[in-house]
Amino acid sequence: YRQGLALARPGGVLTFISSNKFFRAGYGKPLRAYLRGNTRLKTVIDFGDLPIFEATTYPCVLVAAARPPDDEATVQALNVNRVATLERLADAVQRDGWPQLQQSLRQDGWALQPPQVMALLEKLRGSGTPLGEYVNGRFYSGIKTGLNEAFAIDQPTRDQLIAEDTRNAEVIKPWLRGRDLKRWIVSWSHLYVIYIPWDFCIKKYPAIHRHLQRYKEPLMKRPEVREGRHPWYTMSRYAAEYADEFEKPKIVYPDIAKIPQFAYDASGAYGVNTMYILPTDELYLLGVLNSSVVEFFYSQISSAIRGDYLRFIAMYMKQVPIPDATPARRTAIKSLVRKLLDAHSGQTSEVSETSEVSIAQIAQWERELNALVYELYGLTEEEIAIVEGRLNHE
């Protein structure tokens, strides 16, 4: 992009087909800032993950003039959701596209949306504390073992190791994978992890040493072991600074999901590096994160991958606005979250059976939760319709 614009004469126009990944990826921030501040964007068309080419390329078309923009500059924007639109793309840009202020293309991520949606996003941003500040930057990833088949064990293996030496229970922890994290609760697969930090004294645990010895060859091949950074029998990354947080009640979520799937875990489980944790047991926060408002907001700021999956990584998560609430509203939200946690865990008689009544009751609690969160953000009926996808804003 920079070279193309440099080759253009002053005021000349560059038209480029490229990947859209720079719209929201961290590495794209300098390019986003350059295009917004140094070019007059004319057209931006995003094709998402449509199969425009044989490979998955996430294409976009960008038309820009090689001159600085003025304060009121607008770009004709369009999100293309159907391959058939290609047959009359120019007509679609004029018919279905919308003028969007170039200044609305933020350095922390571009969102192509009509004015009322952009206004709603700005309203949400100003309606709460960014999650990054709310949790003091504490977004923690799971553990990278370096070889899951060596360190992750099933129930019989765990029982056998403890039968050989009861001390082994000290370093065998419940284990969660990204796929085990559902909305509200975790679905534990009865797996465990042998938690071995770099300074571990393996001689005190001979049964575990024998177990790991079977995997010594592939464990030795890890780069960090070959470089002498830690012994062959230890994990690659063991979360030294925050390992204790796994033992406490916490909010957990997978790194990739279609919608927010925040869950509460009080089991003391550790997790693989496809899982993230927020080291807090605040049920109010859990309720807000699983709300329709956050689902809508996050879909506008997160980088998407094929199949409409979103990346739940810190650079996006830190932007989620968390509204303040009176003690009464916090209590109301926490009460609903407890009901939903119990319902999904099958712990209450009201919803212990998978009946139509129980499903309807869960849906009702979800609606009540969303209604309370809408109030916290001060949303109007029209804004709620945008959040819920009921408003045609073309």
Side-chain angles (χ1 to χ4, degrees), residues 13 37 46 59 62 78 123 128 194 196 249 267 281-282 284 287 297 313 328 376 392:
V13 175
D46 183 12
L62 187 146
L78 177 66
K123 177 177 179 175
I194 304 172
I196 309 292
S267 69
D281 61 355
E282 189 180 338
Y284 166 76
F297 182 86
I313 54 180
L376 293 181
N392 182 359

Side-chain angles (χ1 to χ4, degrees), residues 27-333:
Y27 64 77
K29 186 174 182 179
L31 176 56
R32 291 193 296 269
Y34 175 77
L35 291 173
R36 173 180 141 156
N38 297 279
T39 72
R40 173 65 171 84
L41 294 173
K42 294 178 174 292
T43 307
V44 179
I45 307 170
D46 183 12
F47 295 91
D49 64 355
L50 284 180
I52 305 300
F53 303 103
E54 291 184 7
T56 302
T57 54
Y58 306 97
C60 72
V61 174
L62 187 146
V63 182
R67 60 183 174 87
D70 55 55
D71 292 341
E72 301 302 317
T74 60
V75 53
Q76 189 73 4
L78 177 66
N79 294 314
V80 177
N81 301 311
R82 299 185 303 125
V83 174
T85 303
L86 285 175
E87 297 176 6
R88 297 183 177 274
L89 185 58
D91 292 341
V93 171
Q94 297 305 315
R95 182 185 66 250
D96 301 327
W98 55 88
Q100 181 169 336
L101 279 173
Q102 185 163 326
Q103 290 184 343
S104 72
L105 301 175
R106 299 167 58 92
Q107 290 190 28
D108 54 13
W110 285 8
L112 302 182
Q113 291 293 353
Q116 58 266 50
V117 178
M118 296 302 299
L120 174 55
L121 289 173
E122 289 307 306
K123 177 177 179 175
L124 293 176
R125 291 181 189 276
S127 299
T129 303
L131 183 60
E133 296 179 24
Y134 195 91
V135 300
N136 297 316
R138 297 181 301 164
F139 298 98
Y140 296 149
S141 67
I143 294 163
K144 183 179 180 181
T145 68
L147 191 69
N148 284 348
E149 53 263 44
F151 296 98
I153 59 176
D154 58 16
Q155 187 78 47
T157 303
R158 179 243 185 207
D159 294 344
Q160 178 61 37
L161 287 171
I162 293 176
E164 292 183 44
D165 188 340
T166 56
R167 289 181 302 174
N168 291 337
E170 301 168 4
V171 297
I172 297 178
K173 312 290 184 179
W175 184 239
L176 293 173
R177 303 162 299 176
R179 74 190 77 169
D180 299 326
L181 311 183
K182 311 302 180 184
R183 183 174 164 87
W184 299 113
I185 63 168
V186 300
S187 180
W188 184 43
S189 300
H190 296 280
L191 295 176
Y192 297 85
V193 66
I194 304 172
Y195 183 74
I196 309 292
W198 294 356
D199 58 354
F200 189 77
C201 184
I202 195 69
K203 293 180 180 179
K204 294 182 179 180
Y205 302 87
I208 286 179
H209 185 237
R210 287 193 297 272
H211 168 82
L212 294 174
Q213 190 79 32
R214 293 184 294 163
Y215 302 93
K216 184 174 181 178
E217 184 176 349
L219 288 170
M220 288 284 291
K221 292 180 179 178
R222 292 177 294 169
E224 57 268 30
V225 175
R226 293 200 308 267
E227 295 166 6
R229 282 186 277 159
H230 60 77
W232 66 267
Y233 50 81
T234 63
M235 295 177 152
S236 293
R237 300 287 184 275
Y238 63 96
E241 301 84 0
Y242 54 87
D244 290 347
E245 300 293 351
F246 289 106
E247 304 275 357
K248 305 172 186 176
K250 55 192 177 291
I251 294 174
V252 298
Y253 54 100
D255 66 341
I256 298 175
K258 286 195 171 185
I259 62 171
Q261 291 183 194
F262 296 92
Y264 179 75
D265 176 61
S267 69
Y270 287 52
V272 73
N273 61 335
T274 56
M275 170 184 118
Y276 292 92
I277 72 171
L278 297 176
T280 175
D281 61 355
E282 189 180 338
L283 297 187
Y284 166 76
L285 177 60
L286 178 61
V288 172
L289 291 175
N290 272 337
S291 69
S292 293
V293 176
V294 169
E295 179 179 345
F296 164 79
F297 182 86
Y298 204 83
S299 70
Q300 303 300 319
I301 65 169
S302 171
S303 178
I305 57 179
R306 190 162 192 175
D308 294 327
Y309 283 89
L310 303 174
R311 296 296 312 279
F312 287 82
I313 54 180
M315 67 170 290
Y316 307 125
M317 286 287 294
K318 69 181 182 181
Q319 300 179 45
V320 176
I322 306 301
D324 197 8
T326 63
R329 285 182 171 177
R330 284 179 177 268
T331 298
I333 287 176

Side-chain angles (χ1 to χ4, degrees), residues 183-184 292 336 339-340 343-344 351 355-371:
R183 183 174 164 87
W184 299 113
S292 293
L336 283 169
K339 290 179 180 179
L340 288 162
H344 287 282
V351 291
S355 64
E356 291 296 328
V357 174
S358 65
I359 293 173
Q361 180 64 77
I362 291 173
Q364 176 61 31
W365 287 334
E366 291 268 10
R367 286 192 294 271
E368 291 175 15
L369 172 64
N370 282 324

